[in-house]
Structure formats: C-alpha cells, structure tokens
Amino acid sequence: MLDRRRTRLGMAVAAAAVLLGPCLPAHADPSNPTPSELKQAQQAVTSAKASVQSLQVRAEQAAEAYNGALSHAQAAERLSAQAASRAAVADQAQARAQGAATGAAAVARTAQTKAASAAADQAAAEAEVKGQQRTLDQMAVSAYETGGKMGVIGSLLTSADPSQLARGQAYVNRVGAYQRGVIVDVTRLRDRVTTAAQLAAAASAEAAVANNAAQTALSRAQQAQAVAASARSAAATAAGNAHHALYLASKAKGHALYLVSRAEAQLGNATQRAQHLKQAAAAARRNATKVHAGTAPSDAAATAIHWAFQEIGVPYSWGGGDENGPTYGFAQGAGTRGFDCSGLTLFAYAHAGIHLDHYTGSQWDQGMRISSRSALQPGDLMFFAYDTSDPSTIHHVALYIGNGQMIEAPFTGEVVRVTSYDRSDFIGGTRPWA
C-alpha cells in the first residue's frame, strides 16, 4: 500500500515538475510521504492544470480578437468597394451632364444665330419700308408743288382733241400705276417687318430657353463632379480604414500565435491529445443522451438546438466551423477539423436561416439582448467575459438549451459538449431570432 502511495506521489510530482519547471522541487523517490507533502504535490498538479486552462482561454480570446479585426477589415474593404463604385457612377453622371451641357450650349448658339439673323432681316425690312415711305411722301409733296402742271393735264383730259385726250389719259394711268405699286410694296414690306419681328422674338425665346438648358446642364455637371470627388474621397478613406484594420488583424494574429505556442507546449504530444479527444468525445456523447433540453420557444431556436446536438463530440478547432459544418482552423487549429465557440453557434443558426458573424463581438450585437440568467430561454446565446461590466472583454459564447445547461465548444483539447451554465463570468445573452 505504501509503495502504491509512493508511486502515485512520484508521478504527481514528476508531472508538476514538467509543467511548472523550477517552481516545484524535484523528489525522485520520496520516502514515507507525509500528508502535507501529498497535499503539496496535488496542489502543484492542480495549479499546473489551471495554468494550462488559463493559457487556452487567453488563446481563445486572442483568436476572437483576430476574428473581430478580420471582420472589421472585411467590412472596411466592402465600404471601399462601395465608395469606389459610387465614384465610378458619379464620374459617369458627370460625363453625361457635361455632354448635355455641351449639347445645350450648341443649341443655344444656334438659336442665338437664328435670332440675330431674324433681327437683321427685320431691320432690313424696316429700312425698305422707310425708303418706300419716303417715296410716297415725296410724291405727295410733288403733287402739291406741281398743282399748275396738273391743271394743264386736266385741260388735256377735257380737250376735244382726241390726241391730247389720249396723252392726258396715259399720263394719269402711269402716275396711278406707279402710286399703286409703291403702296403695294409698302404694305408687303410692312408684312415682312411684322413676320421678321415675330421670327426674331421666337428665335430670342428659343435662345433664352437654350441658354437656361445649358446653364442647368452645366450646373448638373458641376454637381456631379462634386459628388464624384466626394465619392473618391470616401473610397480613399475606406481603403485607409481597411488597411488599418488588416494591420490590427495581423497584430492580433501574431499575439494569438504567441499564446498558442505557449499553450501548445503544455498540451502534450499529438498522440496523447488524439486519445484524449477520443475519450472526451465518447464521454460527451454519453452525457448528451441523458440531457433533457427545455422546450424551444420558436422554430428557429429548436432548429439551432437540434443541429448543435448533432455536433456533440466534434473537437474544438481554433478558427474552425462555418455555415456548412466543422472545418479546419488555423494556427493551433490548422490540423483539427472542428468548431470554435462562435463557429458552432453560427453553424447552428445558419440551419435556421439566421446569419451570425464568426466573431463573439459581432454575435453579441445580433438579436435581442438578454440581461439576466433567469430570463434565458432555450436557443439563446450565452456570453462570458473577463470583466462582466465590459462587453469588449467577451471571450466565449455558448448555446443555452434550457434546464440550466448549454452546448459549447470550450477550448483546445476538448470537444463540443453539454455543460452547466452556472459560470461566474456570464455577462449576458442574446436572442438571435427576436
């Protein structure tokens, strides 16, 4: 019995020495271990396991930080593409408006030319009217001044001599024809003046309309140019934001890889992990057969719970999981096909037709907020944080299934499982379908 106690104590001390290094004195084969020595060894092993779990949780938080930065980078890239598209549309609008302005200006110039031609024609007609009017005036003056001669003509018209009568009649006929011709010309020219004035007025109105159209088109072109400039500026800003977000994502990933390397050093070799995962999966499936989930309040919640149950026993994989199921993750999850915490919840709700981002920070902002544990309903998401007063410290999410239990993908080295929801780091929940 004493040999078995010594053997167990030696194994515990050796394990603690491997995990904690110089923190624990090495005892190759202690004799007659005292109860205090046994307790000290057990405490050392417990402390080492807690250290491993702490590193795993910190690695998970770094993974979530990377997921968040990557999500922000992708959103910034989408904004950049949208801004660039708006700039291209604005450039096209500017080109069309500039073309319309150019066309309107050409129409305005043509209308102005027509107006000028009509005005010139009107002026020429008015000049001819004045000339003919002067002729009429001169004829009237001449008739007044030559009244004596008209008396001679009158005598010819009253003469009994046929030849003199004919001469007088011919003279009167010529004078009358000339006067009638002048009057007809004056009337025609006045009509021409009226028509020319109407044409000139119409051409001026047309020119005014064309000028207004040209000014409007030019104003639209200038507005389109301003919109294009604003869109290009927005595109540049969005591109800068995307670059900065990617830089933050790279830093987060580097920090995550550092934490992972520390956690990996304490997880043991791949064979041991594989064996542990196999045992953990079997245990999780056995436990799940004994679980009684609560009644889901909606079809979406019931669907999500159903599909989460299908993944019981699937390994945790850092960065793993999408809408279609488990995937290979990256870094420490690169060789493991499975889920991380937010990958499991987004998969479950994808089957209910609800999209969730692969990031606990985004899932916290999706759906109706649940402030207390007592208000949770089956299908709600539960979030856990280092500081329960600060959502920015959220590092884990799980799916509540009722009766004080939840389904989660906990951390590297474990599998999707059903556990109690009674954790002190609970910060709140959300209801994705609400």
Side-chain angles (χ1 to χ4, degrees):
M1 181 67 178
L2 179 60
D3 288 341
R4 287 197 296 272
R5 289 176 62 194
R6 287 177 178 175
T7 300
R8 287 196 298 271
L9 178 59
M11 291 176 63
V13 171
V18 170
L19 292 172
L20 296 181
C23 296
L24 183 69
H27 298 282
D29 188 14
S31 58
N32 299 320
T34 65
S36 63
E37 288 176 332
L38 181 59
K39 183 177 181 180
Q40 181 181 5
Q42 290 172 338
Q43 288 175 343
V45 172
T46 301
S47 176
K49 290 181 178 178
S51 177
V52 171
Q53 185 171 357
S54 175
L55 284 171
Q56 290 169 338
V57 172
R58 290 178 63 191
E60 179 187 349
Q61 184 187 32
E64 287 302 314
Y66 174 73
N67 288 343
L70 190 60
S71 176
H72 293 327
Q74 291 168 345
E77 287 175 344
R78 288 193 295 271
L79 287 175
S80 179
Q82 292 169 1
S85 176
R86 287 196 297 270
V89 171
D91 284 338
Q92 293 173 356
Q94 178 188 359
R96 289 194 299 271
Q98 192 63 53
T102 301
V107 171
R109 287 193 298 270
T110 301
Q112 289 168 346
T113 300
K114 287 172 61 178
S117 175
D121 190 36
Q122 177 184 356
E126 289 175 345
E128 289 190 37
V129 167
K130 290 179 180 179
Q132 293 291 2
Q133 186 65 52
R134 284 195 297 271
T135 299
L136 284 176
D137 293 343
Q138 290 172 356
M139 289 175 61
V141 171
S142 177
Y144 177 77
E145 291 177 347
T146 57
K149 293 181 179 179
M150 293 303 294
V152 174
I153 294 172
S155 64
L156 290 174
L157 290 174
T158 57
S159 174
D161 186 345
S163 62
Q164 289 182 348
L165 179 61
R167 284 173 57 198
Q169 187 63 49
Y171 181 80
V172 169
N173 289 341
R174 285 196 300 274
V175 171
Y178 178 73
Q179 290 176 335
R180 286 193 300 274
V182 170
I183 292 172
V184 169
D185 286 344
V186 168
T187 302
R188 177 180 57 79
L189 287 173
R190 284 178 176 165
D191 291 342
R192 179 181 165 191
V193 167
T194 300
T195 301
Q198 293 172 345
L199 290 175
S204 294
E206 184 180 349
V209 171
N211 277 326
N212 288 336
Q215 289 297 324
T216 300
L218 182 60
S219 176
R220 288 176 179 170
Q222 291 170 343
Q223 292 173 356
Q225 184 178 19
V227 170
S230 176
R232 282 192 292 271
S233 175
T237 299
N241 290 341
H243 179 77
H244 183 63
L246 286 173
Y247 168 74
L248 294 178
S250 176
K251 287 189 65 176
K253 184 176 181 180
H255 182 61
L257 291 175
Y258 167 71
L259 292 177
V260 167
S261 67
R262 293 182 59 187
E264 279 287 334
Q266 305 213 29
L267 286 176
N269 60 54
T271 302
Q272 292 172 334
R273 289 202 305 274
Q275 182 63 26
H276 171 73
L277 286 175
K278 183 176 180 181
Q279 294 171 352
R285 293 189 184 105
R286 284 195 303 270
N287 182 52
T289 62
K290 305 172 186 178
V291 170
H292 298 285
T295 302
S298 71
D299 290 341
T303 300
I305 292 172
H306 168 78
W307 283 99
F309 263 106
Q310 306 310 305
E311 305 306 315
I312 296 292
V314 173
Y316 180 94
S317 176
W318 195 34
D322 61 18
E323 289 85 352
N324 300 312
T327 66
Y328 287 99
F330 54 86
Q332 114 181 42
T336 304
R337 187 170 181 272
F339 294 98
D340 63 10
C341 63
S342 56
L344 175 65
T345 52
L346 80 85
F347 162 78
Y349 266 105
H351 284 275
I354 296 174
H355 171 77
L356 299 176
D357 290 336
H358 197 164
Y359 174 43
T360 53
S362 294
Q363 292 185 9
W364 173 253
D365 292 325
Q366 294 177 268
M368 186 178 78
R369 189 65 48 80
I370 309 299
S371 59
S372 66
R373 205 185 301 259
S374 61
L376 289 170
Q377 296 182 19
D380 289 346
L381 299 184
M382 299 183 66
F383 294 86
F384 305 91
Y386 290 108
D387 181 351
T388 55
S389 66
D390 183 3
S392 69
T393 66
I394 289 174
H395 62 84
H396 188 56
V397 61
L399 179 66
Y400 182 61
I401 61 173
N403 298 325
Q405 295 177 307
M406 65 185 187
I407 298 178
E408 64 169 350
F411 47 76
T412 298
E414 287 298 333
V415 298
V416 176
R417 64 191 184 183
V418 177
T419 57
S420 170
Y421 79 161
D422 190 15
R423 288 176 49 164
S424 61
D425 56 346
F426 174 72
I427 188 174
T430 63
R431 189 160 295 156
W433 72 88

